[in-house]
């Protein structure tokens, strides 16, 4: 792979995970971001090659092993580490445009492994075949891989109310990948084919104390140690050695060690040093720990050679009874060593920079490199390995208004950043008011009947209730959602000093879990710290809020995805509508309101209802649609792309049929597509019903409500904006 293609890969992966404070120099993050599902390790191999010293000119053999040899003569020492990850291939495409997945690798065997992808944003790495086939006649084009964003469908919490839900862990039978397509043909036009790989988009999280959590972090940390044992990136000559050293980053380690087996046919060393992935997950401790972070590399207790090499390198090691790993050279001295890791085989597998440094020094000594040849990760040349930080092109239209609102901080009860983001986008004529509760309103026009349009600024998430002695934090929910959707994934803590990166630790004994949801007491925030004092030193305190990392991403066609589309899309629709309204021409009194704390009891609208008593209260919020293969479809089945929705009935309000008919007639005269439906959940308008207001929830159909992967269609939001404008300008008595 060329340097240009490698940099393009890094840019794509950098967009997939907004950077917080970076551990070490960012090179481990670069490696973790690179997808490397077993048998498809090209991107990880290219990322490793990008980090090698100037003098290094590795080769790639048929199975994809990256191999580098230097020196000559005997003894010949081989040091090898596999770079593949446990992951997924596209196994099918449904007629309505969903991808089905299969996993052929032999890594993790516990039941939660596949659930960790459920309800998550993903990237599909295509083969690029479609682009090659579109090349002009006579000008053949090579197939170039590309990334297509998608999300794994999840059941909407609202639509599960009252159901006898199974407690079983979600499996691949429950996994449907939504790329925004409406048909098999649309999927294929994106270049997606059977056997393309699918992996999590949010793959890495830097933590405190030099720790990094991410997909396959242990193996990528070991791969980086092999790089660092070779010396600085700007070195023009290899280390002076006696004999030959071969370093290999091998493929298909989790698929029968096929890359290593092929290497055994090509290289016949006198000594082999293999980087092991540790003991099988079922034998790990309840927190998935292999060894202890910060205590040095792990070797077998009976391996006197490695223990002596550690002594000579000045490296502290940990010992275990045995290390797993294939022995492809049964008659050759084979040594094994591993990097310690926490939360093994999860998306937040965690390693520590100091252990990677120590491993690099140990490997250098075991390979016969001169003392001091290995380069510490923390002292590595930064520019050579820094991930790119380019920003994606901002979306246009209503999505351009929505994206910054989605990405603003705003867990229920902590919504000031969202309110400020709304205020910055108000038209210049608006005179906003903010009440004591934090609701923002803009009113214009005179006379009646008064109309109110209300959207809420808050979102679901956690609030920290205590910092524990071990440095983790306990939380409580703010709003209703499934804890499993955040378990073992990166999160952001919003502290008084700014954003702090963390992860939701997998539940205790996760390798043996047999139920879908963790218990509330099992939900803990891990910062990479090991004491209460260390966590408090980060600025984290009781009352701080927590959400998943948020980024608005456009899918295929006219669809987009993010956490907090509910109800930032409603907030954006009010802003877009207000920009089109001339307040001087208003037919009656109209108020637009952005209210707080809807997700925790409609508190903001309750306060507003005490002083505003409109004739009509239009609650602008999600219509939770069952337009999904994982939701029950006896109700709420309004497909995305069909226009604005009149949410005529839900758990908190019913709109009079005559009002529904009048609004649909108004929409028809304006050419605005609308549908009518009922769904589950409540809305802010219901607070005004106590004072006699007619409640009319107006919506857009949304998939996967209260999850990290909510999906909306631009066409529906455009229709919703048109409807708000029409209703705000309709003469009194027309509804």
């Amino acid at each position: 792979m060329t340097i240009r293609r490698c940099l393009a890969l890094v840019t794509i992966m950098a967009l997939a995970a907004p950077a917080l404070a970076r551990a070490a120099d960012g090179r481990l993050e670069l490696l973790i971001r690179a997808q490397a599902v077993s048998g498809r390790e090209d991107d990880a191999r290219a990322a490793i090659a990008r980090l090698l010293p100037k003098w290094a000119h590795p080769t790639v053999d048929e199975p994809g092993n990256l191999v580098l040899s230097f020196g000559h003569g005997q003894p010949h020492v081989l040091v090898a580490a596999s770079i593949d990850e446990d992951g997924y291939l596209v196994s099918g495409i449904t007629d309505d445009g969903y991808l089905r997945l299969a996993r052929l690798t032999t890594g993790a065997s516990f039941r939660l492994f596949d659930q960790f992808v459920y309800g998550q944003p993903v990237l599909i790495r295509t083969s690029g075949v479609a682009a090659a086939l579109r090349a002009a006649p006579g000008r053949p084009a090579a197939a170039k891989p590309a990334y297509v964003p998608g999300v794994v469908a999840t059941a909407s919490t609202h639509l599960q109310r009252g159901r006898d839900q199974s407690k079983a862990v979600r499996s691949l039978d429950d996994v449907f990948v939504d790329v925004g397509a409406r048909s098999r043909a649309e999927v294929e036009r994106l270049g997606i084919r059977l056997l393309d790989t699918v992996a999590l988009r949010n793959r890495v999280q830097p933590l405190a104390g030099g720790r990094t959590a991410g997909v396959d972090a242990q193996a990528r940390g070991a791969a980086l140690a092999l790089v660092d044992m070779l010396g600085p990136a700007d070195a023009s000559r290899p280390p002076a050695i006696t004999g030959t050293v071969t370093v290999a980053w091998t493929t298909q380690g989790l698929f029968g060690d096929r890359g290593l087996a092929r290497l055994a046919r090509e290289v016949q060393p006198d000594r082999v040093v293999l980087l092991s992935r540790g003991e099988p997950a079922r034998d790990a401790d309840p927190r998935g720990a292999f060894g202890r972070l910060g205590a040095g590399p792990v070797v077998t207790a009976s391996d006197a050679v490695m223990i002596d090499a550690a002594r000579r390198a000045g490296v502290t090691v940990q010992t275990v009874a045995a290390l797993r790993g294939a022995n492809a050279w049964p008659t050759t001295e084979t040594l094994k060593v591993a990097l310690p890791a926490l939360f093994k085989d999860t998306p937040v597998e965690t390693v520590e920079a100091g252990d990677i440094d120590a491993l690099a020094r140990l490997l250098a000594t075991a390979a016969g490199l001169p003392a001091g040849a290995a380069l510490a990760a923390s002292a590595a040349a930064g520019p050579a390995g820094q991930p790119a930080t380019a920003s994606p092109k901002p979306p246009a239209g209503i999505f351009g208004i929505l994206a910054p609102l989605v990405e603003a901080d705003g867990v229920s009860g902590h919504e000031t950043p969202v309110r400020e983001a709304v205020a910055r986008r108000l038209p210049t004529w608006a005179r906003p008011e903010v009440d004591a509760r934090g609701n923002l309103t803009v009113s214009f026009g005179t006379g009646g009947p008064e109309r109110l349009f209300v959207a809420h600024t808050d979102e679901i998430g956690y609030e920290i209730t205590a910092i524990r002695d071990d440095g983790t934090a306990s939380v409580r929910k703010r709003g209703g959602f499934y804890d499993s959707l955040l378990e073992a994934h990166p999160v952001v803590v919003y502290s008084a000093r700014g954003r702090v990166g963390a992860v939701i630790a997998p539940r205790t004994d996760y390798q043996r879990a047999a139920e879908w949801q963790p218990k509330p007491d099992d939900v803990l925030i891990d910062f990479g710290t090991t004491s209460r004092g260390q966590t408090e030193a980060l600025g984290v305190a009781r009352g701080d809020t927590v959400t998943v990392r948020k980024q608005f991403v456009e899918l295929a066609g006219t669809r987009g995805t993010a956490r907090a589309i509910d109800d930032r899309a409603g907030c954006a629709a009010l802003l877009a509508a207000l920009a089109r309204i001339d307040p001087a021409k208003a037919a009656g009194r109209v108020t637009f309101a952005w209210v707080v704390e809807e997700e925790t009891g409609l508190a903001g609208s309750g306060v507003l209802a005490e002083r505003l008593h409109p004739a009509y209260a239009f609650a602008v919020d999600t219509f939770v649609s069952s337009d999904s293969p994982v939701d029950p479809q006896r109700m709420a089945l309004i497909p995305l792309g069909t226009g604005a929705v009149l949410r005529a009935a839900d758990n908190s309000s019913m709109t009079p049929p005559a009002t529904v008919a009048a609004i649909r007639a108004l929409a028809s005269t304006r050419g605005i597509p609308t549908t009518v439906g009922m769904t589950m959940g409540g809305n802010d308008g219901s607070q005004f019903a106590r004072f006699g207001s007619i409640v009319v929830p107006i919506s857009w159909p949304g998939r996967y409500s209260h999850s990290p992967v909510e999906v909306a269609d631009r066409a529906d939001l455009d229709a919703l904006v048109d409807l708000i404008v029409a209703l705000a300008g309709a003469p009194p008595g027309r509804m």
Side-chain angles (χ1 to χ4, degrees):
M1 181 178 286
T2 66
I3 295 298
R4 180 176 296 176
R5 285 179 62 191
C6 179
L7 289 174
L9 162 70
V10 174
T11 300
I12 291 168
M13 290 304 186
L15 300 183
L20 300 170
R22 296 189 180 278
D25 60 0
R27 296 178 308 144
L28 179 57
E29 293 175 63
L30 182 150
L31 296 185
I32 295 174
R33 285 195 181 99
Q35 281 192 24
V37 176
S38 197
R40 307 288 194 277
E41 298 94 345
D42 309 55
D43 297 337
R45 184 173 62 239
I48 292 166
R50 177 72 176 87
L51 301 180
L52 291 173
K54 286 182 179 179
W55 60 264
H57 300 287
T59 61
V60 178
D61 63 14
E62 190 175 44
N65 298 319
L66 183 70
V67 184
L68 172 67
S69 290
F70 58 97
H72 38 111
Q74 304 303 119
H76 186 177
V77 179
L78 168 69
V79 186
S82 61
I83 59 173
D84 60 326
E85 67 190 67
D86 223 345
Y88 303 96
L89 303 177
V90 175
S91 60
I93 303 172
T94 68
D95 291 341
D96 51 354
Y98 287 91
L99 312 182
R100 306 309 308 273
L101 305 184
R103 180 162 67 102
L104 302 178
T105 41
T106 56
S109 58
F110 57 91
R111 297 174 66 183
L112 284 185
F113 183 88
D114 293 322
Q115 181 171 289
F116 288 146
V117 77
Y118 185 79
Q120 301 303 319
V122 295
L123 288 173
I124 299 92
R125 184 188 187 278
T126 74
S127 62
V129 170
L133 293 176
R134 289 196 297 269
R139 297 179 62 187
K144 296 182 179 180
Y147 286 89
V148 177
V151 302
V152 177
T154 178
S156 296
T157 56
H158 302 75
L159 299 179
Q160 311 307 311
R161 294 179 180 179
R163 298 186 72 209
D164 181 16
Q165 297 184 54
S166 167
K167 293 184 177 181
V169 170
R170 295 315 190 227
S171 71
L172 286 181
D173 289 338
D174 304 299
V175 170
F176 293 78
V177 178
D178 181 351
V179 294
R182 295 165 173 81
S183 66
R184 182 193 304 269
E186 287 190 18
V187 171
E188 292 173 346
R189 282 197 292 273
L190 295 172
I192 297 173
R193 297 290 187 271
L194 295 183
L195 305 184
D196 285 345
T197 62
V198 180
L200 291 170
R201 176 157 55 88
N202 289 326
R203 294 173 58 85
V204 61
Q205 178 71 293
L207 299 173
R211 294 184 176 185
T212 301
V215 174
D216 209 39
Q218 183 192 42
R220 304 305 168 84
L224 181 58
L226 263 66
V227 171
D228 286 341
M229 68 174 274
L230 300 173
D234 59 357
S236 58
R237 296 180 180 178
I241 59 171
T242 299
T244 304
V245 171
T246 297
V247 181
W249 294 265
T250 63
T251 60
Q252 300 185 52
L254 297 171
F255 193 65
D257 272 308
R258 304 293 175 80
L260 194 66
R262 178 56 181 263
L263 190 65
R265 295 177 54 188
E266 301 168 350
V267 179
Q268 296 301 317
D270 302 301
R271 170 184 287 178
V272 177
V273 181
L274 296 180
L275 275 295
S276 169
R277 295 178 187 247
E279 296 297 319
R282 63 178 179 273
D283 295 332
D285 80 356
R287 299 187 71 215
F290 174 72
R292 184 166 58 87
L293 295 185
V298 181
V299 301
T300 58
S302 60
D303 192 341
V305 174
M306 287 300 288
I307 291 173
D308 179 65
R311 178 189 58 76
R312 289 185 283 116
V315 170
T316 300
V317 294
Q318 308 174 65
T319 60
V320 294
L323 287 172
R324 67 175 176 176
N327 189 358
W329 292 267
T331 61
T332 301
E333 180 186 35
T334 300
L335 313 174
K336 295 177 184 176
V337 59
L339 189 67
L342 184 64
F343 308 138
K344 270 189 61 63
D345 299 321
T346 75
V348 294
E349 187 172 87
T350 301
V351 296
E352 190 167 307
D355 293 326
I356 297 173
D357 296 344
L359 179 59
R361 296 198 304 273
L362 174 57
L363 293 174
T365 300
L369 273 62
L375 181 68
S378 57
Q386 285 288 355
T389 56
S391 298
K393 182 180 179 181
I398 187 65
F399 280 175
I401 302 173
L402 174 59
L405 299 184
V406 159
E407 294 167 11
D409 316 341
V411 172
S412 194
H414 304 261
E415 298 144 71
T416 299
V418 185
R419 182 174 63 247
E420 292 174 344
V422 168
R424 286 193 296 270
R425 290 164 177 81
L426 292 171
T428 56
W429 59 260
R431 297 295 178 265
E433 297 180 358
V434 178
D435 64 21
R437 192 72 183 219
N439 301 314
L440 185 153
T441 56
V442 172
S443 298
F444 53 94
T446 59
E450 184 175 357
R451 282 154 285 182
L452 168 72
F453 296 85
V454 57
H456 66 87
T457 56
D458 63 328
E459 64 182 288
I460 59 171
Y462 291 119
E463 185 176 87
I464 291 177
T465 57
I467 300 175
R468 294 155 41 111
D469 290 342
D470 64 358
T472 61
S474 303
V475 295
R476 66 165 177 155
K477 282 185 178 180
R478 300 294 287 165
F481 58 95
Y482 295 127
D483 293 302
S484 59
L485 296 177
L486 280 71
E487 180 181 21
H489 291 289
V491 293
V492 179
V493 176
Y494 302 106
S495 77
R497 283 169 35 188
R499 298 183 178 190
V500 179
V503 300
I504 303 292
R507 71 191 75 168
T508 301
D509 211 20
Y510 64 87
Q511 295 106 334
R512 296 174 175 81
E515 293 192 356
W516 178 18
Q517 298 300 320
K519 295 179 174 61
D521 289 346
D522 281 337
V523 180
L524 297 172
I525 314 297
D526 189 292
F527 300 89
T529 56
T530 57
S531 71
R532 183 199 307 270
Q534 289 178 2
T535 298
E536 291 174 342
L538 298 175
V540 177
R542 181 179 177 184
D544 290 344
T545 59
V546 184
T547 63
V548 295
R549 286 201 308 235
K550 298 184 297 178
Q551 181 184 23
F552 183 82
V553 173
E554 293 187 277
L555 300 175
T558 55
R559 294 178 181 172
T561 181
R563 164 85 282 283
I565 287 180
D566 173 11
D567 184 30
R568 307 293 164 75
C571 296
L574 292 188
L575 286 170
L578 205 58
R580 290 169 49 185
I581 291 173
D582 182 349
K585 298 179 180 179
R589 184 69 168 172
V590 178
T591 295
F592 279 35
W594 292 263
V595 300
V596 300
E597 298 179 72
E598 188 267 358
E599 300 290 4
T600 49
L602 312 179
S605 55
V607 169
L608 193 63
E610 295 292 334
R611 63 181 180 87
L612 287 182
H613 305 138
Y616 295 94
F618 297 97
V620 185
D621 203 345
T622 311
F623 180 89
V624 180
S625 175
S626 59
D627 181 26
S628 155
V630 297
D631 275 318
Q633 299 186 351
R634 63 177 176 82
M635 64 179 297
L637 184 54
I638 295 183
L640 273 62
T642 54
V645 182
L646 276 66
R647 182 170 152 176
D650 62 23
N651 296 95
S652 68
S653 68
M654 289 188 181
T655 305
T659 303
V660 172
I663 293 174
R664 293 209 77 189
L666 174 65
S668 179
T669 63
R670 303 292 182 89
I672 303 170
T674 61
T675 54
V676 178
M678 66 174 294
T679 188
M680 305 291 283
N683 69 81
D684 281 306
S686 63
Q687 292 284 40
F688 299 87
R690 297 180 293 139
F691 301 94
S693 299
I694 294 175
V695 179
V696 189
I698 54 177
S699 309
W700 68 94
R703 288 177 178 169
Y704 323 131
S705 177
H706 283 204
S707 81
V709 294
E710 293 169 346
V711 171
D713 193 299
R714 182 191 300 114
D716 297 330
L717 297 181
D718 287 342
L720 176 61
V721 173
D722 291 342
L723 182 60
I724 294 169
V725 172
L727 291 169
R734 289 286 299 275
M735 291 178 292

